[in-house]
Amino acid sequence: MSWEAEIVDGLLDAEIDLVTQLPDGAMGAVLEGIQESDVDTLRVEREESAIAAASGAWVTGERAAVMCQSSGLANAINAIGSLSAPARLPFLALVTRRGDLGEFNVAQVPAGYGLPGMMDEMGIRHTVVEEPGTLRKTVRMAADSAFSTRTPYVVFLDATVTGYGQEAQ
């Protein structure tokens, strides 16, 4: 089973109602799989909007996931720190990690490499997935953690799972 299919199955197992997302080539197959299910999707222009929509979904009784790149999560830190975390509005974030192994774009390095530490400083729980074999279970467990504790939970998908840009070669 592909890592993309594992994520789709994990989202379905977790009873996610809404996936908010920004365009990200690495997550294209995940989005296609989600769109074939009953899960609603919302494409947004800014990461902060994805966080706001996911947080708002909880208020209406739905469970939401955010899909974005690590640079996008860095853009959304204020939305997480000033809305989701203090108001206890949970969501699951699936974040393709840039800035580490195989990175070719130096602009991706500071935030991408440093995001797990930033999440620690903010008190946002997270895990880094480096091998795809347990993604379905990890996604389900992360969602269960987020929604049972009413806190955001971030799953970073390392380049060892998603691959890395051909521009590097």
Side-chain angles (χ1 to χ4, degrees):
M1 177 180 287
S2 71
W3 66 268
E4 296 98 338
E6 285 187 64
I7 289 176
V8 171
D9 288 347
L11 290 169
L12 295 175
D13 291 348
E15 300 178 355
I16 297 296
D17 300 298
L18 172 68
V19 172
T20 64
Q21 56 91 21
L22 276 80
D24 178 7
M27 295 291 260
V30 174
L31 184 59
E32 288 174 16
I34 288 297
Q35 289 173 332
E36 293 174 5
S37 71
D38 290 335
V39 177
D40 291 326
T41 59
L42 175 65
R43 186 175 182 172
V44 296
E45 295 178 10
R46 299 272 313 161
E47 293 81 359
E48 300 93 315
S49 298
I51 301 300
S55 296
W58 178 256
V59 174
T60 66
E62 294 188 334
R63 295 161 59 111
V66 172
M67 291 189 335
C68 66
Q69 223 178 58
S70 55
S71 57
L73 186 65
N75 289 341
I77 283 182
N78 188 51
I80 296 167
S82 65
L83 172 65
S84 302
R88 306 219 36 214
L89 301 170
F91 61 87
L92 170 66
L94 301 171
V95 179
T96 55
R97 191 166 180 212
R98 299 283 309 267
D100 204 9
L101 292 173
E103 184 57 61
F104 64 92
N105 183 347
V106 70
Q108 294 287 346
V109 174
Y113 186 77
L115 266 173
M118 289 182 227
M119 294 295 103
D120 287 339
E121 290 294 326
M122 293 175 62
I124 304 299
R125 291 176 306 152
H126 59 88
T127 191
V128 177
V129 178
E130 297 174 341
E131 297 293 328
T134 62
L135 267 172
R136 181 177 185 167
K137 183 178 181 180
T138 300
V139 168
R140 171 63 189 264
M141 291 174 69
D144 287 348
S145 294
F147 299 114
S148 67
T149 62
R150 296 185 58 188
T151 58
Y153 199 105
V154 178
V155 176
F156 289 106
L157 305 168
D158 223 10
T160 54
V161 172
T162 63
Y164 61 96
Q166 296 302 312
E167 296 89 342
Q169 300 175 3

